[in-house]
Amino acid sequence: MVSALRLHNTLGRRMTDLAPLEPGHVRMYTCGPTVYNVVHIGNLRTFLFEDVLRRHLLAKGFRVTQIMNLTDVDDKTIRGAKEEGLSLPEFTAKYVESFFRDIRRLNLEAAERYPKATEHVADMIALIETLQKRGHTYASDGSVWFRISTFPGYGKLSQIDLTQTRRGERVAEDEYEKEDVKDFALWKRGKPGEPVWPSPFGDGRPGWHIECSAMSMKYLGRHFDIHTGAVDNIFPHHDNEIAQSEAATGEPFVEIWLHAEHLVVDGEKMSKSKGNFFTLDDVLARRDDAAAVRYLFLSVPYRRKLNFTWDALSGAAAAVDRIRSAAARIEEVAASGVEKPGAFGAGERGSGFLGEFFAAMDDDLNTSEALGALFPFLRDVNTAIDEGSLDAAGARTALDAIRSADRVLGVLPSAPEALPAEIEGQIEARNAARGRRDWAEADRIRAALAARGILLEDGPSGTRWKKA
Ligand code: AMP
Ligand code: ZN
């Protein structure tokens, strides 16, 4: 019996056991980047939390369908394109590319789909028409608004106190007229010189919130399991998504809402507008170790603020080095072929470690506690190697345990592929040459392999290879 994954549901502010609506299959939507600029490491912290959630769900044996949108039309993208004299798609393509490059470098697993807003305008128009038919909208000045007073549960996610807002007062915001401060735009009238799409409401473009409702329901169905973002998405974005989606379908929209706390610098949220941000390039220019960044993010559970400092990054890099060198040392024993069952019970110790590790992950993705279980395990295995009580079979068992944990952590290099038999033969031939002290032949084989990108390292337990 697999234990349940408990998650802190922002809706209702309580711990909830995950029970997928479709047994065995978790459908989740993660709000993606607005592609008007290179993402900063604050954004990446949120994306990494979503990656860890995904990896843990897969490790638990669930099938996962994850959708992450790309917001490629809004005020910021339109302004940026205009400033650079580019078309909107030309402008956003650069940042879509840099986003994918960043998430690959951070070893984030790909979601099943990354739908773009501009490719789903028809779906958004259809959803707005449904809301219109059901009496939740009004038109004003060529724009279409969602009237929040028609949705009684409005604000249930953020638990906002609506009596504090000035009902009925007409306010101008973003040069659009609306009846209530909290009413929000579903469709925005086009302005001269801006990209527009034809629609039954006139030429214009979709609002930001409708994008996520339309694309999540298109790919995941009207009612799905998990929706994530950072805490700044709770209000108004996610409350608006709930209002639009539930008003349109008459059904519950999402079972579990998860929100990551912010990455902060000197106590302040890292953000583009404040100028206090680092990109992944900035960070890697100072310390070229993406796994250390990953580790740093994992070291603080997602619901706690993460204060970014260079010292913390150094600490994370040292921790990753400890994991890597322990794994390499264990690999050496595994490859040694020495089979002499020693005193160290790798099987028992390994499953004990994995039990603790995954129990921490099941406890609302407590990555810091999960990492806390890893180091005592590595220490024990290291001690066993020092004492000569770990044989090759035990080392393989220990490695399996480490790799199972790393399936979620993602900080170790991927396992080496099996060498083609032909290259293995070359290594054997070189060993034979060395055995008969034919150094010229041994060197020739080493150089020939190097030319093919295979590097050999001779150690006490034989020859190891790696790709250049
Ligand atoms: P944006 O591109 O601004 O829509 O942001 C993409 C994602 O990053 C959203 O889920 C934001 O809530 C999240 N985000 C923005 N700033 C931070 C931050 N400092 N720390 C963590 N997440 C953030
Ligand atoms: Zn969204």
Side-chain angles (χ1 to χ4, degrees), residues 29 31-32 69 208 212 227 237-238 241:
Y29 187 85
C31 284
N69 65 302
W208 172 38
C212 285
H227 196 314
H237 185 46
H238 288 164
E241 276 191 50

Side-chain angles (χ1 to χ4, degrees), residues 30-36 39-47 50 71 76 208 228-234 238 260-264 268-272:
T30 54
C31 284
T34 307
V35 282
Y36 74 107
V39 295
H40 58 63
I41 57 170
N43 305 129
L44 289 170
R45 185 214 187 177
T46 296
F47 302 146
E50 290 152 350
T71 301
K76 290 177 277 194
W208 172 38
T228 67
V231 287
D232 59 297
N233 291 143
I234 299 174
H238 288 164
E261 250 302 346
H262 285 141
L263 185 140
V264 298
E268 274 210 86
K269 178 192 171 201
M270 179 172 283
S271 76
K272 292 273 160 61

Side-chain angles (χ1 to χ4, degrees), residues 410-451:
V411 296
L412 285 176
S414 27
E417 310 144 34
L419 259 189
E422 188 246 331
I423 299 178
E424 241 152 15
Q426 294 288 307
I427 292 175
E428 280 219 32
R430 175 170 169 271
N431 287 341
R434 282 167 23 135
R436 53 175 199 272
R437 307 181 85 77
D438 185 353
W439 309 118
E441 172 65 359
D443 285 345
R444 187 196 63 75
I445 294 172
R446 174 194 278 278
L449 287 175

Side-chain angles (χ1 to χ4, degrees), residues 208-231:
W208 172 38
H209 314 297
I210 197 74
E211 164 192 332
C212 285
S213 285
M215 295 197 285
S216 61
M217 292 198 288
K218 172 165 184 157
Y219 293 110
L220 297 173
R222 299 145 73 103
H223 183 191
F224 57 92
D225 302 297
I226 300 179
H227 196 314
T228 67
V231 287

Side-chain angles (χ1 to χ4, degrees), residues 172-348:
E173 185 199 77
D174 201 18
E175 295 165 42
Y176 298 94
E177 292 286 308
K178 53 181 170 174
E179 290 175 4
D180 188 304
V181 229
K182 291 281 178 293
D183 287 346
F184 56 91
L186 298 165
W187 187 260
K188 294 185 169 186
R189 159 180 53 91
K191 295 183 201 159
E194 286 187 352
V196 289
W197 284 259
S199 84
F201 337 109
D203 287 359
R205 62 184 164 91
W208 172 38
H209 314 297
I210 197 74
E211 164 192 332
C212 285
S213 285
M215 295 197 285
S216 61
M217 292 198 288
K218 172 165 184 157
Y219 293 110
L220 297 173
R222 299 145 73 103
H223 183 191
F224 57 92
D225 302 297
I226 300 179
H227 196 314
T228 67
V231 287
D232 59 297
N233 291 143
I234 299 174
F235 189 84
H237 185 46
H238 288 164
D239 261 322
N240 289 353
E241 276 191 50
I242 293 175
Q244 298 162 148
S245 307
E246 297 191 351
T249 66
E251 283 176 39
F253 176 43
V254 169
E255 286 294 301
I256 301 181
W257 290 86
L258 303 178
H259 293 96
E261 250 302 346
H262 285 141
L263 185 140
V264 298
V265 203
D266 299 326
E268 274 210 86
K269 178 192 171 201
M270 179 172 283
S271 76
K272 292 273 160 61
S273 52
K274 291 201 194 96
N276 63 345
F277 66 91
F278 298 113
T279 63
L280 188 59
D281 276 328
D282 295 335
V283 173
L284 297 183
R286 241 165 106 167
R287 182 181 282 279
D288 188 16
D289 189 353
V293 180
R294 227 187 127 90
Y295 185 97
L296 175 63
F297 290 178
L298 291 167
S299 67
V300 179
Y302 78 95
R303 286 206 297 130
R304 291 225 316 259
K305 284 199 172 69
L306 190 156
N307 190 33
F308 179 79
T309 64
W310 296 107
D311 277 352
L313 184 63
S314 298
V320 172
D321 278 345
R322 282 208 298 282
I323 303 173
R324 282 190 193 127
S325 49
R329 200 165 174 229
I330 303 167
E331 252 162 40
E332 224 165 82
V333 179
S336 70
V338 177
E339 308 289 356
K340 51 155 181 44
F344 185 70
E348 207 176 302

Side-chain angles (χ1 to χ4, degrees), residues 347-366:
E348 207 176 302
R349 186 65 185 84
S351 55
F353 151 60
L354 286 180
E356 283 172 49
F357 182 92
F358 283 106
M361 291 303 299
D362 278 343
D363 180 15
D364 199 25
L365 307 176
N366 192 337

Side-chain angles (χ1 to χ4, degrees), residues 72-73 78 88 117-118 121 125 187 195-199 202-206:
D72 61 349
V73 53
I78 291 173
L88 191 59
T118 53
V121 176
I125 291 173
W187 187 260
V196 289
W197 284 259
S199 84
D203 287 359
R205 62 184 164 91

